[in-house]
Amino acid sequence: MTTPFYVSPEQLMKDRADYVRKNIARGGSVAVLNYDGGILFVAENRSRVLHKISEIYDRVGFAAAGKYNEFENLRQAGVRLADTRGYLYDRRDVSALGLANAYAQTLGTIFSEQVGKPYEVELVIAEVGDTADRDQIYRLTYDGAVFDESGFVVIGGPAEAVSGVLKNTYAEGASLGEAVRTAVAALGRDGNETRQLEPSQLEVAVLDRSRKQDRKFRRLIGTQLAGLLADEPGAEAALAENGDGHGSEADSGAAAGSQGDLLDDVDEALDGEDGTES
């Protein structure tokens, strides 16, 4: 009789973690920062179609690094959960904390299962508050761990190198333009070389607390982004004047189609959390 092959649980978890970390580090980084008017998302992303940054709900944004099809499944599941909760209960019941708890339970279950591979993703779920002290930023790792962050956080790619740069350059209460330039400069310094990232290589969005409408998410593209990067006089003022004209994307309606077992897992996870809003 053949003796079954045995791997200790500790070694199995270590191998799975090493596999995921190695693959996530291959892509570009995503930086999420507080600025004086809300929360800024900046990602190195040359694609105009495959987004790393998206809207989940009125005040909640989503950023991800890793394998696109896996974090896109998670994004769509989150949109569906947020829309359902907001419709059945109240829009105020949709919070970054509730979504982070649901994602954490799902990612933890997937990582610990011995059948199949773990998800190669890291996530940031952020919610803009009425004041800066009520902003929330949560980082989620591939194994379901949740970290409550403040100031800034970096995921994916050479995250440690980029974080090291931001520790020395990030300023609390910076303007939007200053925050964008700080984040882009940090993303261009990955520990090996210093690169000048162009607007076409970036994906940038904000949760803008000053917007009058409920939905605070909007993307910064084209001349808007170029003006901020070049520190052109009046760029931020022009952006503020036209802010409500560049409506938030219809990500909330983009959750068409069933996501199978994943959606069921997240639905069950959300049903299990108590909905406490911080």
Side-chain angles (χ1 to χ4, degrees), residues 34 36-39 59-60 126-136 207-210 216 277-278:
N34 283 110
D36 63 356
I39 300 173
R59 293 174 169 266
V60 182
E127 179 179 353
V128 66
D130 293 329
T131 57
D133 62 319
R134 295 181 65 86
D135 290 346
Q136 302 173 45
L207 290 170
D208 184 354
R209 82 174 93 255
S210 67
K216 307 300 183 182
E277 190 169 354
S278 66

Side-chain angles (χ1 to χ4, degrees), residues 77-78 80-82 84-85 89 93 95 97-103 105-106 263-275:
R80 173 177 165 181
L81 292 172
T84 301
R85 167 162 284 186
Y89 302 101
D93 290 327
S95 69
L97 178 59
L99 288 165
N101 287 337
Y103 280 136
Q105 293 180 50
T106 300
L263 289 174
D264 294 335
D265 288 343
V266 182
D267 282 334
E268 291 174 4
L270 189 55
D271 288 339
E273 60 94 9
D274 60 11

